[in-house]
Amino acid sequence: MNSSAQTSQASTKTRQIAHLAQQLQLLAQRTEQLEQLSATTAEQASYMRLLGGYHAAWFMASQRIMTPGDAPDEQAAAAEEQQ
């Protein structure tokens, strides 16, 4: 092989290595960003779980309030009124 072909191959190889290094740097940045987003999502999921518990409690309480005659003391009062 002549020297111009070797120089061309060396420059191609150098260019490819530089491109690979750039792609690896971009991959590392995106991996770090994904890690940060995953941590944020995990934290938000715990808050969503608490919020779901609060909503369930509110629905149970509202059903208790909105359904007349469902409470035991109301049932006893209704039975006394019927007698």
Coordinates of all heavy atoms in Angstrom, one line a residue:
M1 N 0.8 -1.2 0.0 CA 0.0 0.0 0.0 C 0.9 1.2 0.0 O 1.9 1.3 0.6 CB -0.9 0.0 1.2 CG -2.1 -0.9 1.1 SD -3.0 -1.1 2.6 CE -3.7 0.5 2.8
N2 N 0.4 2.2 -0.6 CA 1.2 3.5 -0.7 C 0.8 4.3 0.5 O -0.1 4.1 1.3 CB 1.0 4.2 -2.0 CG -0.5 4.6 -2.3 OD1 -1.3 4.6 -1.3 ND2 -0.8 4.8 -3.5
S3 N 1.6 5.4 0.7 CA 1.4 6.2 1.9 C 0.1 7.0 1.9 O -0.5 7.3 2.9 CB 2.6 7.1 2.1 OG 2.7 8.1 1.0
S4 N -0.4 7.4 0.7 CA -1.7 8.1 0.7 C -2.8 7.3 1.1 O -3.8 7.8 1.7 CB -1.9 8.7 -0.7 OG -2.1 7.7 -1.7
A5 N -2.8 6.0 0.8 CA -3.9 5.1 1.2 C -3.8 4.9 2.7 O -4.9 4.9 3.4 CB -3.8 3.8 0.5
Q6 N -2.6 4.8 3.2 CA -2.5 4.6 4.7 C -2.9 5.9 5.4 O -3.6 5.8 6.5 CB -1.0 4.3 5.0 CG -0.6 2.9 4.6 CD 0.8 2.6 4.9 OE1 1.6 3.5 5.1 NE2 1.2 1.3 4.9
T7 N -2.6 7.0 4.9 CA -3.0 8.3 5.5 C -4.5 8.4 5.4 O -5.1 8.9 6.4 CB -2.3 9.5 4.7 OG1 -0.9 9.3 4.7 CG2 -2.7 10.8 5.4
S8 N -5.1 8.0 4.3 CA -6.6 8.1 4.2 C -7.3 7.2 5.2 O -8.3 7.5 5.8 CB -7.0 7.7 2.8 OG -8.4 7.6 2.6
Q9 N -6.7 6.0 5.4 CA -7.3 5.0 6.3 C -7.1 5.5 7.7 O -8.0 5.4 8.6 CB -6.6 3.6 6.2 CG -7.1 2.9 5.0 CD -6.4 1.5 4.9 OE1 -5.5 1.2 5.6 NE2 -7.0 0.7 4.0
A10 N -6.0 6.1 8.0 CA -5.7 6.7 9.4 C -6.7 7.8 9.7 O -7.2 7.9 10.8 CB -4.3 7.1 9.5
S11 N -6.9 8.7 8.7 CA -7.8 9.8 8.9 C -9.2 9.3 9.1 O -10.0 9.9 9.9 CB -7.6 10.9 7.8 OG -8.6 10.7 6.8
T12 N -9.6 8.3 8.3 CA -11.0 7.8 8.4 C -11.2 7.1 9.8 O -12.2 7.3 10.4 CB -11.2 6.7 7.3 OG1 -11.1 7.3 6.1 CG2 -12.6 6.1 7.4
K13 N -10.1 6.4 10.2 CA -10.2 5.8 11.5 C -10.3 6.8 12.6 O -11.1 6.7 13.6 CB -9.0 4.9 11.7 CG -9.1 3.9 12.9 CD -7.8 3.1 12.9 CE -8.2 1.7 13.5 NZ -7.0 0.8 13.5
T14 N -9.5 7.9 12.5 CA -9.5 8.9 13.5 C -10.9 9.6 13.6 O -11.4 9.9 14.6 CB -8.4 10.0 13.2 OG1 -7.2 9.3 13.1 CG2 -8.4 11.0 14.3
R15 N -11.5 9.8 12.4 CA -12.8 10.5 12.3 C -13.9 9.6 12.9 O -14.7 10.1 13.7 CB -13.1 10.8 10.8 CG -14.3 11.7 10.7 CD -14.5 12.1 9.2 NE -14.9 11.0 8.4 CZ -14.1 10.5 7.4 NH1 -12.9 11.1 7.1 NH2 -14.5 9.4 6.7
Q16 N -13.8 8.3 12.6 CA -14.7 7.4 13.2 C -14.6 7.3 14.7 O -15.6 7.2 15.4 CB -14.6 6.0 12.6 CG -15.0 5.9 11.1 CD -14.7 4.6 10.5 OE1 -13.9 3.8 11.0 NE2 -15.4 4.3 9.4
I17 N -13.4 7.3 15.2 CA -13.2 7.2 16.7 C -13.7 8.5 17.3 O -14.3 8.4 18.4 CB -11.7 7.0 17.0 CG1 -11.3 5.5 16.6 CG2 -11.4 7.2 18.5 CD1 -9.8 5.2 16.7
A18 N -13.5 9.6 16.7 CA -14.0 10.9 17.2 C -15.5 10.9 17.3 O -16.2 11.3 18.2 CB -13.5 12.1 16.4
H19 N -16.2 10.4 16.2 CA -17.6 10.3 16.1 C -18.1 9.3 17.2 O -19.1 9.6 17.9 CB -18.1 9.8 14.7 CG -19.5 9.7 14.6 ND1 -20.4 10.8 14.6 CD2 -20.4 8.6 14.5 CE1 -21.6 10.4 14.4 NE2 -21.6 9.1 14.4
L20 N -17.5 8.2 17.4 CA -17.8 7.2 18.4 C -17.7 7.9 19.8 O -18.6 7.7 20.7 CB -17.0 6.0 18.4 CG -17.2 4.9 19.4 CD1 -18.7 4.4 19.3 CD2 -16.2 3.8 19.2
A21 N -16.7 8.6 20.1 CA -16.5 9.3 21.4 C -17.6 10.3 21.6 O -18.2 10.4 22.7 CB -15.1 10.0 21.4
Q22 N -18.0 11.0 20.5 CA -19.1 12.0 20.7 C -20.4 11.2 21.0 O -21.2 11.7 21.8 CB -19.3 12.8 19.4 CG -20.3 13.8 19.4 CD -20.5 14.5 18.0 OE1 -20.0 14.0 17.0 NE2 -21.2 15.6 18.0
Q23 N -20.7 10.1 20.3 CA -21.9 9.4 20.5 C -21.9 8.8 22.0 O -22.9 8.8 22.6 CB -22.0 8.2 19.5 CG -22.3 8.7 18.1 CD -23.6 9.4 17.9 OE1 -24.6 8.9 18.4 NE2 -23.6 10.6 17.3
L24 N -20.8 8.3 22.4 CA -20.7 7.8 23.8 C -20.9 8.9 24.8 O -21.6 8.7 25.9 CB -19.3 7.1 24.0 CG -19.2 5.8 23.3 CD1 -17.7 5.3 23.5 CD2 -20.1 4.8 23.9
Q25 N -20.4 10.1 24.6 CA -20.7 11.2 25.5 C -22.1 11.6 25.5 O -22.7 11.8 26.6 CB -19.8 12.4 25.1 CG -20.0 13.6 26.0 CD -19.2 14.8 25.5 OE1 -18.7 14.8 24.4 NE2 -19.1 15.8 26.4
L26 N -22.8 11.6 24.4 CA -24.2 11.8 24.3 C -25.0 10.7 25.0 O -26.0 11.0 25.8 CB -24.7 11.9 22.8 CG -26.1 12.2 22.6 CD1 -26.5 13.6 23.2 CD2 -26.4 12.2 21.1
L27 N -24.6 9.5 24.9 CA -25.3 8.4 25.6 C -25.1 8.5 27.1 O -26.1 8.3 27.8 CB -24.7 7.1 25.1 CG -25.2 5.8 25.8 CD1 -26.7 5.7 25.5 CD2 -24.5 4.6 25.3
A28 N -23.9 8.9 27.5 CA -23.7 9.1 29.0 C -24.6 10.2 29.5 O -25.2 10.1 30.6 CB -22.2 9.4 29.2
Q29 N -24.7 11.3 28.8 CA -25.6 12.4 29.2 C -27.0 12.0 29.3 O -27.7 12.3 30.3 CB -25.5 13.6 28.2 CG -24.2 14.4 28.3 CD -24.0 15.4 27.2 OE1 -24.9 15.5 26.3 NE2 -23.0 16.2 27.2
R30 N -27.5 11.3 28.3 CA -28.9 10.9 28.3 C -29.1 9.8 29.4 O -30.2 9.8 29.9 CB -29.3 10.3 26.9 CG -29.3 11.5 25.9 CD -29.8 11.0 24.6 NE -30.0 12.2 23.7 CZ -30.2 12.1 22.4 NH1 -30.3 10.9 21.8 NH2 -30.3 13.2 21.7
T31 N -28.2 9.0 29.6 CA -28.3 8.0 30.7 C -28.4 8.7 32.1 O -29.3 8.3 32.9 CB -27.1 7.0 30.7 OG1 -27.1 6.4 29.4 CG2 -27.3 6.0 31.8
E32 N -27.6 9.7 32.3 CA -27.7 10.5 33.5 C -29.1 11.2 33.6 O -29.7 11.2 34.7 CB -26.6 11.5 33.6 CG -26.5 12.3 34.8 CD -25.4 13.3 34.9 OE1 -24.4 13.1 34.1 OE2 -25.5 14.3 35.6
Q33 N -29.5 11.7 32.5 CA -30.8 12.4 32.5 C -32.0 11.4 32.8 O -32.9 11.7 33.6 CB -31.1 13.1 31.2 CG -32.4 13.9 31.2 CD -32.6 14.5 29.8 OE1 -32.0 14.1 28.8 NE2 -33.5 15.5 29.7
L34 N -31.9 10.2 32.3 CA -32.8 9.2 32.5 C -32.8 8.8 34.0 O -33.9 8.5 34.6 CB -32.6 7.9 31.7 CG -33.5 6.7 31.9 CD1 -34.9 7.1 31.6 CD2 -33.0 5.6 31.0
E35 N -31.6 8.7 34.6 CA -31.5 8.3 36.0 C -32.2 9.4 36.9 O -32.9 9.1 37.8 CB -30.0 8.2 36.4 CG -29.8 7.8 37.8 CD -28.3 7.7 38.1 OE1 -27.5 7.6 37.2 OE2 -28.0 7.7 39.3
Q36 N -32.0 10.7 36.6 CA -32.6 11.8 37.3 C -34.1 11.7 37.2 O -34.9 11.9 38.1 CB -32.1 13.1 36.8 CG -30.6 13.3 37.2 CD -30.1 14.6 36.6 OE1 -30.7 15.2 35.7 NE2 -28.8 14.9 36.9
L37 N -34.6 11.5 35.9 CA -36.0 11.4 35.7 C -36.7 10.2 36.4 O -37.8 10.3 37.0 CB -36.3 11.4 34.2 CG -36.1 12.7 33.5 CD1 -36.2 12.4 32.0 CD2 -37.0 13.8 33.9
S38 N -36.0 9.1 36.5 CA -36.5 7.9 37.1 C -36.6 8.2 38.6 O -37.6 7.8 39.3 CB -35.6 6.7 36.9 OG -35.6 6.4 35.5
A39 N -35.6 8.9 39.2 CA -35.7 9.2 40.6 C -36.8 10.1 40.9 O -37.5 9.9 41.9 CB -34.3 9.8 41.1
T40 N -37.0 11.1 40.1 CA -38.2 12.0 40.3 C -39.5 11.3 40.1 O -40.4 11.5 40.9 CB -38.1 13.1 39.2 OG1 -36.8 13.8 39.4 CG2 -39.2 14.1 39.4
T41 N -39.6 10.4 39.2 CA -40.8 9.6 39.0 C -41.1 8.7 40.2 O -42.2 8.6 40.6 CB -40.7 8.8 37.7 OG1 -40.5 9.6 36.6 CG2 -42.0 8.0 37.5
A42 N -40.1 8.1 40.7 CA -40.3 7.3 41.9 C -40.7 8.1 43.1 O -41.6 7.6 43.9 CB -38.9 6.6 42.3
E43 N -40.2 9.3 43.3 CA -40.7 10.1 44.4 C -42.1 10.6 44.2 O -42.9 10.5 45.1 CB -39.8 11.4 44.4 CG -40.1 12.3 45.6 CD -39.1 13.5 45.7 OE1 -38.1 13.5 45.0 OE2 -39.4 14.4 46.5
Q44 N -42.5 10.9 42.9 CA -43.8 11.3 42.6 C -44.8 10.2 42.8 O -45.9 10.4 43.2 CB -43.9 11.9 41.2 CG -43.3 13.2 41.0 CD -43.2 13.6 39.6 OE1 -43.5 12.9 38.7 NE2 -42.9 14.9 39.4
A45 N -44.4 8.9 42.5 CA -45.2 7.8 42.7 C -45.6 7.6 44.1 O -46.8 7.2 44.4 CB -44.5 6.5 42.1
S46 N -44.7 7.8 45.0 CA -45.0 7.7 46.5 C -46.1 8.7 46.9 O -47.0 8.4 47.7 CB -43.8 7.8 47.3 OG -43.3 9.1 47.3
Y47 N -45.9 9.9 46.3 CA -46.9 10.9 46.7 C -48.3 10.6 46.0 O -49.3 10.9 46.6 CB -46.5 12.3 46.2 CG -45.3 12.9 46.9 CD1 -44.2 13.3 46.3 CD2 -45.3 12.9 48.3 CE1 -43.1 13.8 47.0 CE2 -44.3 13.4 49.1 CZ -43.1 13.9 48.4 OH -42.1 14.4 49.1
M48 N -48.3 10.0 44.8 CA -49.5 9.6 44.2 C -50.2 8.5 45.0 O -51.4 8.5 45.1 CB -49.3 9.2 42.8 CG -48.9 10.3 41.8 SD -48.5 9.7 40.2 CE -50.1 9.1 39.7
R49 N -49.4 7.7 45.6 CA -50.0 6.6 46.4 C -50.7 7.2 47.6 O -51.8 6.8 48.0 CB -48.9 5.7 46.9 CG -49.4 4.5 47.7 CD -48.2 3.5 48.0 NE -48.7 2.5 48.8 CZ -48.4 2.3 50.1 NH1 -47.6 3.2 50.7 NH2 -48.8 1.3 50.8
L50 N -50.1 8.2 48.3 CA -50.7 8.9 49.4 C -52.0 9.6 49.0 O -53.0 9.5 49.7 CB -49.7 9.9 50.0 CG -48.6 9.3 50.8 CD1 -47.6 10.4 51.2 CD2 -49.1 8.6 52.1
L51 N -51.9 10.2 47.8 CA -53.1 11.0 47.3 C -54.2 10.0 47.0 O -55.4 10.3 47.3 CB -52.7 11.7 46.1 CG -53.7 12.6 45.5 CD1 -54.1 13.7 46.4 CD2 -53.2 13.3 44.2
G52 N -53.9 8.8 46.5 CA -54.9 7.8 46.3 C -55.6 7.4 47.6 O -56.8 7.2 47.6
G53 N -54.8 7.2 48.6 CA -55.3 6.9 49.9 C -56.3 7.9 50.5 O -57.3 7.6 51.0
Y54 N -55.8 9.2 50.3 CA -56.7 10.3 50.7 C -58.0 10.3 50.0 O -59.1 10.5 50.6 CB -56.0 11.6 50.6 CG -54.8 11.8 51.5 CD1 -53.7 12.5 51.1 CD2 -54.9 11.4 52.8 CE1 -52.6 12.7 51.9 CE2 -53.8 11.6 53.7 CZ -52.7 12.2 53.2 OH -51.6 12.4 54.1
H55 N -58.0 10.1 48.7 CA -59.2 10.1 47.9 C -60.1 9.0 48.3 O -61.3 9.1 48.4 CB -58.9 10.0 46.4 CG -58.4 11.4 45.8 ND1 -57.9 11.5 44.6 CD2 -58.4 12.6 46.3 CE1 -57.7 12.8 44.3 NE2 -58.0 13.4 45.4
A56 N -59.5 7.8 48.5 CA -60.3 6.7 49.0 C -61.0 7.0 50.3 O -62.2 6.7 50.5 CB -59.5 5.4 49.1
A57 N -60.3 7.6 51.2 CA -60.9 7.9 52.5 C -62.0 9.0 52.3 O -63.0 8.9 53.0 CB -59.8 8.5 53.4
W58 N -61.8 9.9 51.4 CA -62.8 10.9 51.2 C -64.1 10.3 50.6 O -65.2 10.6 51.0 CB -62.3 12.0 50.3 CG -61.3 12.9 50.9 CD1 -61.1 13.2 52.2 CD2 -60.4 13.7 50.2 NE1 -60.0 14.0 52.3 CE2 -59.6 14.4 51.1 CE3 -60.1 13.9 48.8 CZ2 -58.5 15.3 50.8 CZ3 -59.1 14.8 48.5 CH2 -58.3 15.4 49.4
F59 N -63.9 9.4 49.7 CA -65.1 8.7 49.1 C -65.8 7.9 50.1 O -67.0 7.9 50.2 CB -64.6 7.8 47.9 CG -64.4 8.6 46.6 CD1 -63.2 8.4 46.0 CD2 -65.3 9.5 46.1 CE1 -62.9 9.1 44.8 CE2 -65.0 10.2 45.0 CZ -63.8 10.0 44.3
M60 N -65.1 7.2 51.0 CA -65.7 6.4 52.0 C -66.5 7.3 53.0 O -67.6 7.0 53.4 CB -64.7 5.5 52.7 CG -64.2 4.4 51.9 SD -63.2 3.2 52.8 CE -61.7 4.1 53.1
A61 N -65.9 8.4 53.3 CA -66.5 9.4 54.3 C -67.7 10.0 53.6 O -68.8 10.2 54.3 CB -65.5 10.4 54.7
S62 N -67.6 10.3 52.4 CA -68.8 11.0 51.7 C -69.9 10.0 51.5 O -71.1 10.3 51.7 CB -68.4 11.5 50.3 OG -68.1 10.5 49.4
Q63 N -69.6 8.7 51.3 CA -70.6 7.7 51.2 C -71.3 7.6 52.5 O -72.5 7.4 52.6 CB -70.0 6.4 50.8 CG -71.0 5.3 50.4 CD -71.4 4.4 51.6 OE1 -70.7 4.3 52.6 NE2 -72.5 3.7 51.5
R64 N -70.6 7.6 53.6 CA -71.1 7.5 55.0 C -72.0 8.7 55.3 O -73.1 8.5 55.9 CB -69.9 7.5 55.9 CG -70.3 7.4 57.4 CD -70.5 6.0 57.7 NE -70.5 5.9 59.2 CZ -70.8 4.8 59.8 NH1 -71.0 3.7 59.1 NH2 -70.8 4.7 61.1
I65 N -71.7 9.9 54.8 CA -72.5 11.1 55.1 C -73.7 11.1 54.1 O -74.8 11.5 54.6 CB -71.6 12.3 54.9 CG1 -70.5 12.4 55.9 CG2 -72.5 13.6 54.9 CD1 -69.5 13.5 55.7
M66 N -73.5 10.7 52.9 CA -74.6 10.9 51.9 C -75.6 9.8 51.9 O -76.7 9.9 51.4 CB -74.0 10.9 50.5 CG -73.0 12.1 50.3 SD -73.7 13.7 50.5 CE -74.3 13.9 48.9
T67 N -75.3 8.7 52.6 CA -76.3 7.6 52.7 C -77.0 7.6 54.0 O -76.5 7.3 55.0 CB -75.6 6.2 52.5 OG1 -74.8 6.2 51.4 CG2 -76.6 5.1 52.4
P68 N -78.3 8.1 54.0 CA -79.0 8.2 55.2 C -79.4 6.8 55.7 O -79.7 5.9 55.0 CB -80.3 9.0 54.8 CG -80.4 8.7 53.3 CD -79.1 8.5 52.8
G69 N -79.4 6.7 57.1 CA -79.9 5.5 57.7 C -78.8 4.4 57.7 O -79.2 3.3 58.0
D70 N -77.6 4.7 57.3 CA -76.6 3.7 57.2 C -75.8 3.5 58.5 O -75.4 2.4 58.8 CB -75.6 4.0 56.1 CG -74.7 2.9 55.7 OD1 -75.1 1.7 55.9 OD2 -73.6 3.1 55.2
A71 N -75.7 4.5 59.3 CA -75.0 4.5 60.5 C -75.8 3.7 61.6 O -77.0 3.7 61.6 CB -74.7 5.9 61.1
P72 N -75.1 3.0 62.5 CA -75.8 2.1 63.5 C -76.7 2.9 64.4 O -77.8 2.5 64.7 CB -74.7 1.5 64.3 CG -73.5 1.6 63.4 CD -73.7 2.8 62.5
D73 N -76.3 4.1 64.8 CA -77.2 4.9 65.7 C -78.4 5.5 64.9 O -79.4 5.6 65.5 CB -76.4 6.1 66.3 CG -75.6 6.9 65.4 OD1 -75.4 6.4 64.2 OD2 -75.3 8.1 65.7
E74 N -78.2 5.7 63.6 CA -79.3 6.1 62.8 C -80.3 5.0 62.6 O -81.5 5.2 62.6 CB -78.9 6.7 61.5 CG -78.1 8.0 61.5 CD -77.7 8.5 60.2 OE1 -78.0 7.8 59.2 OE2 -77.0 9.5 60.1
Q75 N -79.8 3.8 62.5 CA -80.7 2.6 62.3 C -81.5 2.4 63.6 O -82.7 2.1 63.5 CB -79.8 1.4 62.0 CG -79.2 1.4 60.6 CD -78.3 0.2 60.3 OE1 -78.1 -0.6 61.2 NE2 -77.9 0.1 59.1
A76 N -80.9 2.6 64.7 CA -81.6 2.4 66.0 C -82.6 3.5 66.2 O -83.8 3.2 66.6 CB -80.6 2.4 67.2
A77 N -82.3 4.7 65.8 CA -83.3 5.8 65.9 C -84.4 5.5 64.9 O -85.6 5.8 65.2 CB -82.6 7.1 65.6
A78 N -84.2 5.0 63.7 CA -85.2 4.7 62.8 C -86.1 3.6 63.3 O -87.4 3.6 63.1 CB -84.6 4.4 61.4
A79 N -85.5 2.6 63.9 CA -86.3 1.5 64.4 C -87.2 1.9 65.6 O -88.4 1.5 65.7 CB -85.4 0.4 64.9
E80 N -86.7 2.8 66.4 CA -87.5 3.4 67.5 C -88.7 4.2 67.0 O -89.8 4.2 67.6 CB -86.7 4.2 68.5 CG -85.7 3.4 69.3 CD -84.8 4.2 70.1 OE1 -85.0 5.5 70.1 OE2 -83.9 3.7 70.8
E81 N -88.5 4.9 65.9 CA -89.5 5.8 65.4 C -90.6 4.9 64.7 O -91.8 5.3 64.8 CB -88.9 6.7 64.3 CG -88.1 7.8 64.8 CD -87.5 8.7 63.7 OE1 -87.8 8.5 62.6 OE2 -86.7 9.6 64.1
Q82 N -90.3 3.8 64.2 CA -91.2 2.9 63.6 C -92.1 2.2 64.6 O -93.2 1.9 64.3 CB -90.6 1.9 62.7 CG -90.0 2.5 61.4 CD -89.2 1.4 60.6 OE1 -89.1 0.2 61.0 NE2 -88.8 1.8 59.4
Q83 N -91.6 2.1 65.8 CA -92.4 1.3 66.8 C -93.3 2.2 67.5 O -93.9 3.1 67.6 CB -91.4 0.8 67.9 CG -90.6 -0.3 67.3 CD -89.6 -0.8 68.4 OE1 -89.4 -0.3 69.4 NE2 -88.9 -1.9 68.1

